[in-house]
Amino acid sequence: MSDALVLVINSGSSSLKFALMDAQTGDAVISGAGECFGRDDACMSWKVDGNKTEKTLSAGSDHHQEAMDIIVGLIENNQLSDKLQAVGHRVVHGGETFSQATLIDDAVLAQIDALKSLAPLHNPAHVVGINAARKAFPNLPQVAVFDTAFHQTMPEKAYHYAISRQLYNDYGIRRYGFHGTSHYYVSREAAKWLNQAPEQTNVITVHLGNGASLCAVKDGQSVDTSMGFTPLAGLMMGTRCGDIDPSILEFLSKKGLSMDQIHHELIDKAGLLGVSELTNDCRGLVEAAEEGHRGAQLALEMFAYRVAKFIASYMVPLSRLDAIVFTGGIGENSLPVREMILKELAIFGYQSDADANAAARFGAAGQITTQDSPLALVIPTNEELVIAQQAMAMA
């Protein structure tokens, strides 16, 4: 273990995930999560040296602060206080204000809070977590790492919507993109695989999980991405619809659905779950599809087709394509989905290698196409390591 430990915090409105990371090796020395904050069944669980502990939190207490106090105790009890160098916070939305990791002070915290209209479920929760961490670790640098930051290099033609300039100027309506730390990480790992500098590398990174997005990375920089003003846009996802005709909202409204009901339909009841009428879990869908469940088959077909269409379109902004890079829970582990996507891309010469595809899962990276095919890779993502390293660089 090095002396470069960073506490990585991902604070939600009713949860808090954390990991004490070695910023040099990427190892998690301590990790855990708190759930159901604000409820009587709020609890914390954590692992130290592979041993798991669970604790019920006090009813009626400030659960974010109580969780942070537990984390402080874990660090002190394991005699790691002297090794802790910084606290890194995942922040979903940095708007156009933040294009890189940023040291948090009162002014930065106020700016993060001011962006809550763009991420009403996330940024306020991040502020709560940051305040708790600042109180628990008053002498440590606190660093915000933004999901949107990597995409701030997109050109105007990629991030502007075809709406009036006034709507953009008044409300900041544009494509922001998300999953930035994941796209950043796997694009850098792909450059290592290719034995190239990141600034000489062109890849399409494909982050597939319950949330899913693609990114066109040219010369190491994001030049386009599939998520938009919110994480609802782009690909079909676990429960999210992805791109649809916006007039559907007006149509449903006239049919009597409230905006909250429409929002719920598009975010929580659509995607793989909505089409299959079964589950949003890819493993369950694959099993059901193999047993002949038509809804599951259609959901997977639609998912693979739409991913492939986005990949094909993202060849446009790249002068050449060095590799397609799959990551995320589905991208790293679902052999059938990867095979279906590559089959849809057969017009470009992509051919899946069955043995190689089977080997690249459960944390293993590797090439999954044949030697005479254009290159497709699987690279496990590590967003926590990105946060730890960027926080350490600011400490």
Side-chain angles (χ1 to χ4, degrees):
M1 184 193 308
S2 72
D3 291 332
L5 297 185
V6 175
L7 177 62
V8 176
I9 299 290
N10 182 357
S11 177
S13 58
S14 61
S15 65
L16 187 148
K17 297 179 182 179
F18 74 94
L20 186 64
M21 301 280 297
D22 187 320
Q24 294 182 4
T25 66
D27 295 331
V29 182
I30 304 173
S31 63
E35 299 176 326
C36 303
F37 288 5
R39 293 172 20 183
D40 291 342
D41 57 346
C43 62
M44 281 278 290
S45 63
W46 59 86
K47 284 185 179 180
V48 182
D49 296 327
N51 298 313
K52 185 174 182 179
T53 303
E54 297 183 3
K55 177 181 173 62
T56 300
L57 301 183
S58 304
S61 72
D62 180 343
H63 290 149
H64 284 87
Q65 193 61 58
E66 187 176 355
M68 205 63 66
D69 292 340
I70 290 172
I71 295 169
V72 172
L74 288 170
I75 293 171
E76 291 177 347
N77 293 340
N78 287 276
Q79 300 180 333
L80 297 170
S81 299
D82 292 342
K83 295 179 182 291
L84 183 58
Q85 304 296 313
V87 182
H89 296 269
R90 181 216 177 193
V91 179
V92 164
H93 219 305
E96 294 183 313
T97 307
F98 299 102
S99 59
Q100 60 186 7
T102 304
L103 197 64
I104 298 171
D105 56 19
D106 290 344
V108 168
L109 189 60
Q111 289 175 307
I112 293 171
D113 186 55
L115 291 165
K116 61 189 175 187
S117 63
L118 298 179
L121 298 180
H122 295 93
N123 277 34
H126 299 323
V127 170
V128 172
I130 291 168
N131 279 326
R134 294 178 83 188
K135 182 178 178 181
F137 303 98
N139 299 318
L140 287 178
Q142 310 266 338
V143 179
V145 179
F146 300 90
D147 282 9
T148 52
F150 182 54
H151 302 303
Q152 282 297 298
T153 53
M154 286 191 293
E156 287 184 301
K157 65 182 180 181
Y159 71 72
H160 266 294
Y161 288 123
I163 57 176
S164 71
R165 292 287 297 187
Q166 184 173 353
L167 287 177
Y168 167 66
N169 292 333
D170 290 350
Y171 304 112
I173 298 175
R174 52 157 284 180
R175 183 180 303 281
Y176 289 102
F178 300 89
H179 291 143
T181 50
S182 178
H183 291 299
Y184 170 87
Y185 177 79
V186 297
S187 66
R188 266 58 188 167
E189 291 299 300
K192 293 177 185 177
W193 184 280
L194 295 161
N195 197 29
Q196 297 174 180
E199 58 270 18
Q200 297 173 332
T201 300
N202 291 4
V203 292
I204 296 173
T205 51
V206 186
H207 180 111
L208 304 179
N210 195 49
S213 67
L214 283 84
C215 182
V217 182
K218 182 177 182 179
D219 299 330
Q221 295 187 325
S222 171
V223 293
D224 209 343
T225 191
S226 58
M227 283 181 170
F229 181 65
T230 74
L232 181 60
L235 297 174
M236 172 184 178
M237 305 178 217
T239 63
R240 286 173 252 175
C241 62
D243 287 349
I244 62 168
D245 183 341
S247 291
I248 292 172
L249 279 68
E250 179 189 22
F251 175 83
L252 292 175
S253 178
K254 289 181 177 180
K255 292 296 182 181
L257 276 70
S258 69
M259 285 308 299
D260 284 344
Q261 288 174 313
I262 295 170
H263 199 249
H264 179 55
E265 285 287 339
L266 301 185
I267 290 181
D268 301 317
K269 297 176 68 176
L272 295 173
L273 173 64
V275 174
S276 69
E277 297 185 305
L278 187 65
T279 180
N280 62 311
D281 182 82
C282 188
R283 293 164 297 185
L285 289 175
V286 169
E287 291 174 2
E290 290 174 347
E291 294 172 358
H293 190 287
R294 182 55 193 146
Q297 292 170 348
L298 178 60
L300 293 172
E301 289 168 3
M302 288 175 60
F303 184 75
Y305 176 63
R306 293 180 178 207
V307 172
K309 283 206 301 180
F310 262 98
I311 290 173
S313 70
Y314 279 14
M315 294 180 186
V316 172
L318 304 180
S319 56
R320 69 174 194 285
L321 177 59
D322 296 325
I324 297 169
V325 186
F326 291 98
T327 196
I330 297 173
E332 293 172 26
N333 298 306
S334 182
L335 279 64
V337 169
R338 295 192 307 233
E339 289 175 350
M340 291 172 71
I341 294 168
L342 292 175
K343 186 176 180 180
E344 294 283 3
L345 294 168
I347 190 172
F348 299 106
Y350 285 92
Q351 295 182 18
S352 174
D353 183 310
D355 292 337
N357 194 27
R361 61 190 310 205
F362 304 133
Q367 178 175 341
I368 59 171
T369 43
T370 60
Q371 293 302 313
D372 57 349
S373 163
L375 182 62
L377 302 170
V378 172
I379 296 179
T381 192
N382 195 335
E383 295 168 272
E384 290 82 5
L385 179 58
V386 173
I387 294 171
Q389 290 177 337
Q390 294 189 357
M392 191 68 192
M394 300 292 296

